């Protein structure tokens, strides 16, 4: 099995997941924007995007969520996506909230601000600015949601929801959009996940 990887947000989601599951998977690190757009890589990943996971039988799975679903099913030890229907629904709900309301807008800021993506999207700096302005309210919302004392995003156990939130946090930190210092609950969660080995995955 091989993971096509690069220094970027979506591969980071998979690498955190792999690290938390204690898996050892071979990686091929590509240069974003050059290797990822080569004709050879387009044969592996049709949008020229990482992550892509090549299985031992040659099958390739792209899309971070699909890769994580595969890994959870193939390696059920250290479950990150829930072991009962109720828990699976609950964790997926929180993971989608972290993805849709944090990772996606932060990813759009990246796409609309950095030169690497200038020929991938029509960059609209005002759009990026409006997404930036929305971030403090999002962190504030999350702070309120986890003010019930829970240790992790979806409850008392580390889960895929934390993986999504950690990947978002790493982009937020890099772009000066991390949680406001006054938000005690989010900062406590952030400090705790930053002390996990998977943070550096
Ligand atoms: N929907 C995909 C998105 C993957 C994606 O956008 N990957 C970016 C890096 S974060 C990429 O490979 N970009 C390649 C390029 O722009 O050349 C997923 O969930 O994994």
């Amino acid at each position: 099995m091989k993971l096509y990887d690069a220094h970027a947000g979506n591969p980071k989601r998979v690498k955190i997941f792999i690290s938390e599951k204690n898996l050892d998977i071979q990686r091929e690190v590509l240069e974003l924007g050059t290797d990822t757009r080569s004709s050879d890589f387009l044969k592996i990943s049709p949008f020229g995007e990482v992550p892509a996971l090549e299985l031992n039988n040659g099958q390739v799975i792209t899309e971070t969520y699909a890769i994580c679903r595969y890994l959870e099913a193939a390696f059920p030890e250290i479950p990150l996506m829930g072991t009962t229907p109720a828990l699976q629904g609950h964790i997926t709900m929180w993971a989608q909230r972290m993805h849709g309301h944090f990772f996606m807008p932060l990813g759009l800021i990246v796409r609309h601000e950095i030169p690497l993506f200038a020929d991938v999207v029509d960059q609209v700096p005002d759009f990026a600015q409006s997404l930036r302005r929305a971030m403090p309210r999002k962190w504030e919302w999350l702070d309120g949601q986890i003010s019930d004392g829970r240790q992790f995003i979806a409850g008392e156990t580390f889960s895929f929801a934390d993986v999504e939130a950690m990947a978002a946090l790493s982009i937020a930190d890099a772009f000066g959009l991390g949680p406001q210092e006054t938000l005690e609950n989010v900062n406590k969660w952030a400090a705790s996940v930053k002390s996990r080995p998977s943070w550096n995955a």
Side-chain angles (χ1 to χ4, degrees):
M1 192 152 54
K2 178 163 86 175
L3 179 72
Y4 290 93
D5 182 19
H7 181 63
N10 283 292
K12 175 112 182 157
R13 291 163 68 202
V14 171
K15 283 182 290 184
I16 295 171
F17 195 85
I18 288 172
S19 168
E20 289 288 342
K21 281 184 94 67
N22 261 333
L23 299 173
D24 187 15
I25 295 177
Q26 182 198 341
R27 290 187 296 134
E28 181 171 331
V29 183
L30 306 184
E31 195 64 45
L32 207 64
T34 51
D35 298 340
T36 47
R37 296 178 196 173
S38 69
S39 54
D40 278 353
F41 188 62
L42 280 165
K43 287 182 203 138
I44 295 167
S45 174
F47 288 115
E49 289 175 344
V50 282
L53 185 70
E54 193 173 273
L55 308 188
N56 291 339
N57 66 3
Q59 182 190 343
V60 175
I61 303 176
T62 68
E63 312 308 322
T64 299
Y65 181 64
I67 293 171
C68 293
R69 288 282 308 148
Y70 166 77
L71 293 173
E72 178 82 351
F75 305 98
E77 305 81 18
I78 316 183
L80 295 179
M81 292 177 156
T83 48
T84 64
L87 210 45
Q88 286 169 351
H90 181 76
I91 289 171
T92 305
M93 172 182 79
W94 274 104
Q96 287 294 99
R97 288 173 175 171
M98 295 303 103
H99 187 71
H101 290 272
F102 290 84
F103 186 89
M104 282 304 283
L106 286 159
L108 284 169
I109 291 170
V110 176
R111 285 189 173 242
H112 283 264
E113 284 191 352
I114 70 169
L116 183 70
F117 291 107
D119 54 358
V120 175
V121 291
D122 282 336
Q123 291 183 317
V124 182
D126 284 351
F127 177 52
Q129 282 305 318
S130 84
L131 291 169
R132 276 182 172 272
R133 284 193 296 275
M135 283 313 297
R137 261 179 291 127
K138 290 177 183 292
W139 290 124
E140 207 177 313
W141 173 84
L142 183 59
D143 195 73
Q145 291 291 314
I146 63 172
S147 64
D148 53 9
R150 72 184 83 166
Q151 206 186 333
F152 295 106
I153 297 292
E156 286 314 310
T157 311
F158 184 94
S159 76
F160 183 52
D162 297 284
V163 175
E164 292 286 20
M166 284 166 77
L169 180 65
S170 76
I171 301 177
D173 279 355
F175 280 74
L177 290 166
Q180 304 86 293
E181 278 174 17
T182 49
L183 301 177
E184 267 180 39
N185 306 305
V186 174
N187 282 301
K188 192 170 151 216
W189 166 83
S192 101
V193 293
K194 283 179 184 180
S195 71
R196 300 174 80 87
S198 63
W199 176 252
N200 298 312

